[in-house]
Amino acid sequence: MIYKILSRAEWDAAVAAGVFAGSAVDLKDGYIHFSTADQVRETAAKHFAGQTDLLLVALDPARLGPALKWEPSRGGALFPHLYAPLDPALAASIADLPWNGEAHIFPDV
């Protein structure tokens, strides 16, 4: 699985529209950012610290097709980037990602 952290409002809008084009940083960078299970906690700490009302959306990378590219980022680690809009119906699971005042509380990933 790969994971997308985003606000509940962003996800609700995507579900209503039937497509997720990306959050502000995704639109700026030209692709939708994802993280692996090993990367997602660091992503949350680095880019989402203190934010509430977040969701963790899990997706099967095999269902995203050739628009999913694995590219080097932090320290050379390969991160999944989707160069296409995302169909919200492809979500394998959606979980709340609550903030406890110090860190986000993750479900098992």
Side-chain angles (χ1 to χ4, degrees), residues 31-75:
Y31 53 83
I32 299 174
H33 293 263
F34 292 95
S35 299
T36 67
D38 291 338
Q39 299 163 337
V40 73
R41 285 175 176 80
E42 183 181 350
T43 296
K46 183 173 183 176
H47 299 288
F48 296 93
Q51 293 184 40
T52 59
D53 209 26
L54 295 177
L55 297 175
L56 181 67
V57 178
L59 297 118
D60 178 351
R63 297 192 67 201
L64 299 180
L68 183 68
K69 309 289 184 199
W70 292 83
E71 298 176 316
S73 190
R74 279 183 234 142

